[in-house]
Structures are given as C-alpha cells and as structure tokens.
Amino acid sequence: MLSLGVSMDKWRAALAAWALVAAVLLQPAVANAQSGAAVRDIEVVGAQRVDPDTVRSYMQVRPGDVLGPRSISDALKSLFETGYFADVSIDLRGDVLVVTVAENPIVSRIAFEGNRRIDDETLGPEVQLKPRQIFTRSAAERDVKRILELYRRSGRFAANVEAKLIELPQNRVDVAFEIAEGDQTLIEKIVFIGNTQFSDSDLIGEISSKEEAWYRFLSNDDVYDPDRVAFDRELLRGFYLSQGYVDFRVTSAVAELTPDRDGFILTFTVEEGSQYTFGAISLDNQLTDIPDFRLSPLLKPRSGEIYDNNLVRETVDKLVDEVGTYGFAFVDVQPRSTTLREEQKVDLVFVVDEGSRVYVERIDIEGNLRTLDRVIRREFGIVEGDAFNTSKIARATRRVRNLGYFKKVDVSNEQGSAPDRARVTVEVEEASTGEFSIGAGYSSESGVLFNVRLAERNLLGKGQELALATTLSEQQNQIDLSFTEPYFRDQPISVGADVFRTITDYDDRQEDEEEVIGGRLRVGYKLSEDWTQRWRYTLSRRVTDYNERRTGDSDSNTLLSAIGHEVAYDTRDNRFNPTTGRILSIGNDLAGLGGDARFLRTDVRASQYFPMSKRPPVTLALSARAGAIVGLGEDVTGSDRYFLGGRSLRGFESSGVGPRWKGGVFSGFALGGNYLATATAEAIFPIGLSSEDLGLQGRLFAEFGTLTGIDTDLRSDEFYDESSIRGSLGFGISWTTPLGPLRLDFAWPVVKEDFDKDETILFSIGAQF
C-alpha cells in the first residue's frame, strides 16, 4: 500500500527530490546531446496502454533533429504534462533516442474509510478521481483538499485526510481516502469592535452565526462556516441600513482559533458612521396611462423619519405590484437617492417607467425529491413564453410557500439565452407532510380527553390530503375520515369528501346517548388572488336515545340535509405561521333540502396579524367570530346549536359556556345556544435566545365570548341562560420538538357565571414523518 500525505511541504519536498533524480538521469542524454548528434530513430520502452506513436507525438522531437539540453527538457515536460506517466527517462544511445516510460495506474475503485458525519453519497461527487480513469498524484492531492474543505464547512477543522493506494495486477490501483473526522470546531465567542450605537448582544441577534451553547444541539449555527460569516456581513449591513446608518461598513471579519485550538473567536470590525433621515420623497411617473394619485399613496418613506432601507424595498415592491394590476408586464421602478452628508439626509425619487420587454424562457424546479413538478407549476400564474411579471412571480412564491410542503422556497431569475429572455428557478427543500398528532385536554368536571390524528398533506407527491382523526373521552367517541384533491382534473378547483361518526354518552346512569353518522362533499375555487369561495353539502342521520325532557328536543331519529357556502378573503403572508395580513370569511348553512331539520346558520370570522417588533419578532393576532342559527318553521335541535369552550374559549371546558340544565339528575347538561360571539387578542413572541434553535415560542392571550338563546319547550326556570360576556386570561408555550409541535396552554376565567365549567390546561403534541 502506498500513501499520499496531505502536507504541502511534503509535496514540495517530493517535487524537489524528483527534479534531482531527473537531473541525474538526464546526464547521459545531455552529454550526448551536447556532442550535436542527430536522432535517427526514437524508441519507446515500457508503454502498455499508450501507443508508442502517441508518446512520440507528445515529445515534439522528430527523427533527423539535432538534440540539445533545451529540447530534451521540453520533451520531458511535455510527457509529464499529459498525466499518463508516473516516470519518464530519456537516453540517447548512439543515434537512437530511447524513451523509457512508467505509466500511471488505472483507478479500479474509490473508497472512503472513517467517515461517519459525511456519508459516501456526499463525498463521492466531490472527488475528481473516478473508476477507470488514470490515477495521478496531483489529482489525488486535489481530491484530498476538496474533502478537507467539505469537512471545514461542517465545522471540523481538525479533520485529517490521507489518500492511500492499494496496488492491483495489470497496473491498477484502488484509492482509499482514510478520514479522521475530529471534533467540530465551534464558535466560542463573537466580538464586535467599533460598535457604539448597538451592543454586542444586539448585533449577535442580527447575524446567523451564534456562540456555542448547550441548547444549540439541534442546529449548526454555532459551527464556524466562512460562507455564513460572509452572509453575516450582509446581514449586519442590512440591519444598520434599516436603522439609518447609510455609511455603515464592515471593515473586517476575522476568525481565529483559540490557543487550545478547540474553538474560534469571531471578530467583526465595523464603522457605523452617522444616522440619516429621509429628506425629500417624490415620485417620477413616466407611465402616462397611470395617474400619479394612484401611485403616490404607496410611497412608504416620510420626510424626517429615520432612514430605513426596508421601507425603500417595500415601496418598490408595492409600486411594481400596483403597476402590474394595470396590465404593465414590463415595469422598471428605480429608487434614485441623493445623500446629503452635511445635513445627514437622503433624498429619494422613485422613478417608474416601462421596462425592457422580457419573456419567460424556462421555469426550472429544483429540490423537489418527492413533490411532482406540476404541483408547483400550477401555483404560478405564468408559463414558458409569457411576459415576465415580477408581481405574478411574487404571488406565486407566496402560494408555493402556503402549500406547506416545503421548508424553504426560493424563487430567482436570471437572463436566458437572449437579453429578452428570463429563466426562472424555483428551489425548494422538502418538508415532512405526514403527521401523527396526539392531543389532550383536562378539566375537573370531565377528566381527560384524547384525540389522535393521522394525516398526509401531500399524498404521493400529488398535493392531495388524506386524514383520519378520532376523539376519545368519557362522554364522546368520534371518528372522521377525509380526502381532498386541490386541483380536480388539473383545474384550480378543490374537491373533497368527509365521512364521520360520533357517539355521545350524556349520562352513564341513564344510558342516554346520541349517534350521528354521515358524510360531506366539498368544492372550492378562487374568485381572485385573495378571494376564495367554498361550497359543501352535508347529509347525516342522528339517532338519539335519551329523555327528551332533558334537552327540550322531541325528535329521536332525524335526517339532516344541508347545503352551505363560505367566501373568504385572505392576505396572510403564511397560513401556517402568519406574521402579517388578514383573513375575513362569511359562511351560511341552509338545512331543509330534504331531511327533517330546518334552519339557517350564519358565521362571520375575522383575524388580523400585526408585526409589532422585528427584534425580537413579536406578532399581535386579533380575531373575532360571530354566529347565529335560526329555525325555519321549527325549533333548532341541540346537536345543531353552537357550543362554546375548550379551544374556542380557553379557560372553560368543551361546551362549558352557555345554556345549561338547572337541576335534577340532568344538572349541568349543556344545551347549546343559537347565538355566539367570541374575540381573542394574542401576542406571540420568542422565549429567550433558544427560540431560534428549539422553536420555542410564548403566547399571552385574552379571550372573551358569549353563547345564549335556545329554541325549546322547557320552562325558563328549568335551565340557565345568561347572555353575559365570559372572559379568560392565560399564557401558552409552543415548542417544535423532535417529536413534532407541542402546544401547552394555561388559562383562568376572569369573568364567568356560576354554572359555567372551568378548564385550566390544554395540550397537544404531534409528530411529522
């Protein structure tokens, strides 16, 4: 076995030794060459795979030439540069030039040994040596460097790599890269020099590199990475520009190993400069078809405010979007700034003009190992050959992110095969879309409630959703199977179906229960970019076996046939974890198209999300709901009424608020209500430094609501019904654990009625696969 070390000093020493050996070997040939003898013939010795004529062609020496020291040296150099030979000697015997070569071996197999942190599939593409190629020492040396660089990028600067050769018959070799990975070299400390306006801790919060900490075991942000440091320089510049420091620059970013060589000290040297404000803000609209008064309100910067580069970018985006709605596919918005250093102001002119005509040449999708291309492509409002439209690209990016199938979605564009052609690249990183979740609730009245949900939101990579959910408690057992096809027959129409069965045991002593079994069909489609309409039809059979005096209901076996619809307006930036935007919806259900039940139900919901702070990121979420159900020629039965509590009003158990039976053996039984209203205010924020690494978030919330009104033959003194407002205060914790998202809420009623039922703790945990 032959070994190739990784030290450059050793490699230089080997080259020097080879030069000395070559000089000795050349002495006879040089001596003869100096005599001025002409070459009659060239004889090649030792060639096996390489044809002798090919060797002669590389030498650039021909029979009849008179050799000199320079020509022999050039011939040797040319032969070595081919990479075919491990050794070459030239000897002039009389008038015959004898060239003796030792060919480099052929690589039979490439192997990696000792690698645990980086697998063979990752290392293989990094090395240039391949089976059936000619082995050269220089190629092996370059591959060693590539492997070392890969380990350095993963924070393992103590890694050592050695290329070893295993000689085989017929001048073949196996190449084994022996790897000693070593420990990760983490960032022990991050230091800033030159910062006076912001503390080190403030700036650390703005960059992606982090100091070593025990709780970062789920991330690699504390691993030193030169590329990440370069990105941090841009993050720092972006932060200072958002705070008005136009002249800010990072003069250096240096990483030094600690004396014991087990960590890095990362030092950023900065020059902050002065803080600037916005000066004169104006609009230069070159598009005669769009009046200025349509665009001027979109200018976010205001004179006298602290300069913020984010406001400039947001204004450009809004102007591009607005102009796009007028049918201008080609628009160019340029913010032209004038820096007044003596006054410490920045004047801005937003120039709006028709841009160069550019068309989409290709849309390339990368990184989707599981999701089909068409699932992503159908979210784009453009196809190959359409006019390039920045507004449509931005909306498509939001739609792809809202699918929930990907951890990361990056959409970029670059020039195509011609100046008027653009190539759009969509790079995604697949996320887990399978879900196994377990939830639970506890109250002093009803004990523990469990629910289990098994779902796949991207079935077979086609974007379809299949879910099975069940709820088990002392009083209720429920199972629900649903399927949704978001693009029916490749059209933007969502079609789905549900099958469900619920058994509710109201009182073990009376053996009273209700069984509901049925199904639901759903159809949805977009009215515009932000407006959606959904239709549903529900058919279910309710079989009841209980004392009708307890609830005021007279029917024990009823058929429900109801058609419903919902119109929603949604501008949230992310439907799974929104930080800005709103969602408004109104829905109706009409029962009476066949069946026994006759009612009209109306629901109105609204939610608004406000980004209160960027550092730390704090979101304020406000939501409200109102609902009413009225009987059409008959009373509304208990199962069709609203029920309030649990997740719909934390601090109270499920069905813990609203009309309730007053006394007797049925005391405390929830009757439901015809009129419902709720409101919630919730602040969502990271908890300490660990939120970035462990996904730990906190919530403070206040909830209020009421439920009142029933259709019944019961006397008013037989049940409670108060329309007063109930309210609760509480806090919660959300944590993205290795087993999935965990949510824990603690809530305490602050306004309630004596007959309401409390619930303090709600929690759920789920795993994704």
Side-chain angles (χ1 to χ4, degrees):
M1 177 182 293
L2 301 178
S3 174
L4 295 178
V6 300
S7 170
M8 288 301 296
D9 291 338
K10 293 181 179 179
W11 179 242
R12 293 190 185 98
L15 287 175
W18 165 245
L20 179 61
V21 172
V24 173
L25 294 175
L26 281 173
Q27 288 302 315
V30 172
N32 291 334
Q34 290 175 343
S35 65
V39 176
R40 179 178 58 82
D41 192 14
I42 300 175
E43 181 181 349
V44 177
V45 179
Q48 300 177 18
R49 296 185 307 273
V50 182
D51 188 87
D53 288 338
T54 303
V55 177
R56 296 185 184 97
S57 67
Y58 286 131
M59 292 179 58
Q60 299 179 355
V61 175
R62 300 293 181 267
D65 291 348
V66 177
L67 294 183
R70 179 64 179 273
S71 58
I72 292 180
S73 177
D74 290 343
L76 277 171
K77 182 179 178 181
S78 298
L79 291 174
F80 274 114
E81 285 179 348
T82 65
Y84 293 150
F85 310 110
D87 190 13
V88 179
S89 65
I90 297 178
D91 184 19
L92 187 60
R93 300 174 185 175
D95 57 358
V96 176
L97 186 66
V98 180
V99 181
T100 305
V101 298
E103 295 180 348
N104 277 320
I106 294 294
V107 177
S108 177
R109 188 171 65 95
I110 302 290
F112 302 96
E113 299 177 0
N115 55 311
R116 293 182 302 163
R117 302 294 180 179
I118 303 180
D119 56 27
D120 291 4
E121 288 71 20
T122 303
L123 293 174
E126 292 295 322
V127 299
Q128 300 300 307
L129 284 175
K130 303 295 181 185
R132 294 182 298 279
Q133 287 186 355
I134 295 174
F135 172 84
T136 64
R137 292 178 179 272
S138 58
E141 192 71 24
R142 288 193 296 267
D143 287 344
V144 166
K145 290 180 180 179
R146 288 190 183 91
I147 296 173
L148 283 174
E149 180 63 24
L150 200 62
Y151 273 95
R152 289 192 177 104
R153 290 183 180 277
S154 66
R156 298 184 181 274
F157 284 79
N160 182 62
V161 180
E162 190 174 359
K164 292 190 175 181
L165 303 183
I166 303 174
E167 294 182 344
L168 302 174
Q170 300 177 350
N171 199 24
R172 295 178 300 115
V173 291
D174 286 344
V175 181
F177 292 96
E178 292 192 353
I179 302 170
E181 295 182 319
D183 296 327
Q184 278 191 322
T185 312
L186 305 180
I187 300 173
E188 187 173 298
K189 190 171 182 60
I190 299 177
V191 179
F192 293 88
I193 298 174
N195 54 312
T196 59
Q197 301 300 320
F198 301 97
S199 66
D200 285 12
S201 59
D202 289 335
L203 298 182
I204 288 176
E206 296 297 330
I207 63 177
S208 59
S209 297
K210 302 299 177 186
E211 293 179 349
E212 177 185 2
W214 65 268
Y215 51 77
R216 301 193 198 279
F217 63 92
L218 291 180
S219 75
N220 62 351
D221 291 344
D222 55 353
V223 176
Y224 172 69
D225 184 345
D227 289 341
R228 185 184 289 123
V229 173
F231 178 57
D232 289 338
R233 296 174 68 117
E234 296 303 317
L235 291 177
L236 286 172
R237 175 166 173 75
F239 168 69
Y240 270 92
L241 282 176
S242 70
Q243 304 297 319
Y245 294 88
V246 175
D247 298 327
F248 171 84
R249 67 192 188 100
V250 180
T251 57
S252 67
V254 179
E256 297 178 313
L257 280 170
T258 57
D260 53 8
R261 304 184 66 82
D262 63 350
F264 277 98
I265 298 177
L266 186 57
T267 303
F268 292 92
T269 303
V270 302
E271 291 182 3
E272 293 178 326
S274 301
Q275 191 177 48
Y276 286 70
T277 59
F278 284 114
I281 307 297
S282 60
L283 175 72
D284 183 5
N285 180 18
Q286 303 291 321
L287 303 177
T288 57
D289 294 339
I290 304 178
D292 288 357
F293 70 85
R294 295 290 187 186
L295 302 180
S296 295
L298 302 177
L299 304 184
K300 283 182 169 289
R302 296 290 182 268
S303 296
E305 292 182 349
I306 299 297
Y307 180 87
D308 185 349
N309 197 52
N310 293 330
L311 290 180
V312 178
R313 287 199 302 266
E314 290 175 13
T315 299
V316 171
D317 292 341
K318 286 188 174 296
L319 288 172
V320 171
D321 290 346
E322 182 66 18
V323 172
T325 62
Y326 285 86
F328 285 85
F330 311 100
V331 61
D332 182 30
V333 178
Q334 293 292 337
R336 296 179 181 173
S337 61
T338 303
T339 303
L340 308 175
R341 286 186 165 78
E342 291 185 0
E343 302 177 27
Q344 295 182 1
K345 292 182 178 180
V346 179
D347 292 343
L348 277 175
V349 178
F350 290 92
V351 182
V352 181
D353 199 357
E354 191 167 5
S356 303
R357 294 185 174 272
V358 179
Y359 298 89
V360 177
E361 181 178 42
R362 287 172 51 191
I363 299 178
D364 295 328
I365 300 175
E366 301 174 355
N368 54 321
L369 304 177
R370 184 164 168 269
T371 305
L372 301 180
D373 277 11
R374 61 183 176 87
V375 173
I376 301 173
R377 287 181 181 273
R378 66 194 184 194
E379 300 299 329
F380 279 75
I382 57 177
V383 296
E384 283 87 348
D386 285 355
F388 183 85
N389 189 303
T390 305
S391 178
K392 289 184 178 181
I393 294 292
R395 287 196 294 267
T397 303
R398 190 182 76 171
R399 287 198 295 266
V400 174
R401 286 175 180 160
N402 283 337
L403 290 175
Y405 306 156
F406 310 107
K407 294 180 183 177
K408 181 182 72 171
V409 178
D410 290 328
V411 179
S412 59
N413 58 274
E414 58 185 17
Q415 181 177 309
S417 59
D420 64 341
R421 296 289 183 267
R423 185 168 68 247
V424 178
T425 301
V426 184
E427 185 177 355
V428 299
E429 181 180 347
E430 298 272 10
S432 299
T433 55
E435 179 182 348
F436 174 71
S437 63
I438 302 175
Y442 174 80
S443 70
S444 58
E445 296 288 340
S446 302
V448 179
L449 175 146
F450 290 100
N451 59 70
V452 180
R453 186 171 187 269
L454 183 66
E456 172 54 62
R457 293 183 286 109
N458 187 13
L459 189 65
L460 302 177
K462 298 179 179 180
Q464 301 166 336
E465 180 174 351
L466 180 65
L468 176 65
T470 182
T471 301
L472 303 173
S473 69
E474 296 179 6
Q475 293 186 341
Q476 189 179 76
N477 295 330
Q478 179 178 349
I479 188 168
D480 191 331
L481 177 65
S482 66
F483 175 78
T484 303
E485 168 56 70
Y487 273 74
F488 182 68
R489 300 181 68 87
D490 292 328
Q491 298 298 315
I493 300 175
S494 172
V495 176
D498 306 284
V499 179
F500 53 84
R501 183 190 183 202
T502 304
I503 299 177
T504 305
D505 187 359
Y506 293 104
D507 195 320
D508 292 338
R509 293 169 296 178
Q510 302 294 324
E511 297 182 353
D512 299 337
E513 69 177 23
E514 176 185 70
E515 180 183 34
V516 179
I517 184 169
R520 183 181 298 109
L521 298 176
R522 296 175 277 108
V523 177
Y525 48 85
K526 279 188 171 294
L527 298 173
S528 67
E529 177 63 27
D530 300 320
W531 287 93
T532 304
Q533 186 167 29
R534 303 179 184 91
W535 294 88
R536 55 184 175 268
Y537 174 72
T538 304
L539 182 67
S540 65
R541 170 72 67 180
R542 289 195 299 260
V543 179
T544 57
D545 182 15
Y546 53 67
N547 188 325
E548 68 182 51
R549 284 289 300 157
R550 186 175 68 167
T551 63
D553 299 334
S554 57
D555 294 333
S556 60
N557 193 326
T558 60
L559 180 67
L560 172 67
S561 176
I563 187 171
H565 88 106
E566 179 186 46
V567 177
Y569 173 72
D570 190 353
T571 62
R572 293 173 296 175
D573 59 339
N574 188 309
R575 67 188 180 102
F576 296 98
N577 187 25
T579 59
T580 185
R582 66 175 61 93
I583 178 170
L584 309 172
S585 69
I586 181 170
N588 301 101
D589 286 289
L590 176 64
L593 305 176
D596 304 309
R598 304 279 192 278
F599 64 79
L600 174 64
R601 179 166 50 211
T602 300
D603 268 287
V604 179
R605 300 170 186 259
S607 296
Q608 177 77 50
Y609 299 89
F610 302 92
M612 302 300 293
S613 171
K614 292 183 179 179
R615 187 175 52 87
V618 178
T619 301
L620 176 63
L622 302 177
S623 60
R625 178 191 178 191
I629 182 171
V630 294
L632 302 178
E634 61 180 46
D635 293 342
V636 178
T637 60
S639 297
D640 296 325
R641 299 175 188 139
Y642 292 103
F643 292 87
L644 183 61
R647 284 292 177 197
S648 59
L649 187 61
R650 287 167 287 187
F652 299 87
E653 74 170 61
S654 180
S655 304
V657 174
R660 194 172 300 278
W661 188 269
K662 200 175 253 190
V665 295
F666 310 122
S667 176
F669 177 77
L671 297 172
N674 289 9
Y675 306 99
L676 173 142
T678 63
T680 301
E682 188 169 42
I684 306 169
F685 52 89
I687 298 179
L689 295 176
S690 60
S691 62
E692 300 179 5
D693 305 287
L694 303 181
L696 193 60
Q697 286 186 320
R699 297 186 308 278
L700 296 175
F701 58 84
E703 293 195 320
F704 299 90
T706 185
L707 180 66
T708 186
I710 60 172
D711 299 335
T712 179
D713 295 331
L714 296 175
R715 300 190 311 272
S716 60
D717 62 348
E718 293 183 293
F719 63 94
Y720 300 103
D721 184 10
E722 297 291 342
S723 60
S724 60
I725 299 294
R726 279 75 150 184
S728 64
L729 299 176
F731 68 91
I733 298 174
S734 298
W735 182 25
T736 305
T737 72
L739 297 178
L742 179 147
R743 178 167 175 161
L744 182 62
D745 287 319
F746 299 88
W748 294 268
V750 293
V751 182
K752 67 172 186 174
E753 296 294 336
D754 292 338
F755 56 85
D756 293 334
K757 296 188 177 183
D758 303 347
E759 179 180 68
T760 303
I761 302 175
L762 279 175
F763 80 90
S764 64
I765 185 170
Q768 295 186 333
F769 55 88

